[in-house]
Amino acid sequence: MKKIIACLLLASSSIAFADNAYDVVENKLELKYQTMTDSNNNTMHIDDIDVKSLNGNIYVTLEMEPMMGDGGWSRFNKTSYKKIATQIADEVRMYTQNQGKVEINLVKEDNITDKKTLLDSAFY
């Protein structure tokens, strides 16, 4: 019972202190998609999810910050990734009550150089 009350307090406080309308959506997505696993059990760890809106279009950025390499992107099954990205887009549409297309960008950020590399970008 104490855990349920603590979770409810945490959820209500995150809603009360949200900087913009999409912070709540970001928090829900970050809880659900911390790790993505494909059909071959390859995993990618997502460090941050940003949701933005510009001119009525919604943009989602999935950020990986691997210490080395591409964070598993080269081994990850692209068909599985498209299914996961479609699920994310559907959830964003549901949370925002927007029926338009959602652009999802997968970005790898190098911790040492702060260089960002776009791995995938598509509308779903």
Side-chain angles (χ1 to χ4, degrees):
M1 187 67 175
K2 290 180 183 179
K3 290 181 182 180
I4 293 172
I5 292 172
C7 288
L8 289 173
L9 287 173
L10 178 65
S12 64
S13 66
S14 67
I15 291 171
F17 296 109
D19 290 338
N20 65 44
Y22 298 109
D23 283 351
V24 175
V25 177
E26 289 175 6
N27 292 339
K28 288 181 180 183
L29 294 175
E30 286 173 353
L31 286 173
K32 187 171 182 179
Y33 295 102
Q34 293 176 4
T35 302
M36 294 184 186
T37 305
D38 70 1
S39 58
N40 300 326
N41 288 327
N42 296 315
T43 60
M44 290 190 308
H45 298 283
I46 304 300
D47 293 304
D48 189 29
I49 298 177
D50 293 321
V51 179
K52 305 289 182 214
S53 176
L54 180 65
N55 296 330
N57 298 320
I58 298 177
Y59 301 91
V60 178
T61 303
L62 308 173
E63 289 185 15
M64 297 189 307
E65 296 179 12
M67 294 303 283
M68 297 173 48
D70 64 357
W73 174 247
S74 58
R75 295 184 317 257
F76 205 82
N77 183 306
K78 304 311 183 256
T79 304
S80 295
Y81 173 76
K82 288 182 181 183
K83 287 180 183 177
I84 294 169
T86 301
Q87 288 175 344
I88 292 171
D90 290 342
E91 288 182 36
V92 168
R93 278 191 283 273
M94 179 187 68
Y95 293 141
T96 61
Q97 299 177 351
N98 183 337
Q99 296 306 312
K101 291 202 175 267
V102 176
E103 182 176 355
I104 298 185
N105 302 301
L106 180 63
V107 174
K108 178 188 77 116
E109 182 175 354
D110 188 340
N111 288 333
I112 297 170
T113 63
D114 286 335
K115 178 182 174 186
K116 293 186 179 186
T117 306
L118 182 65
L119 300 175
D120 187 69
S121 180
F123 283 96
Y124 294 93

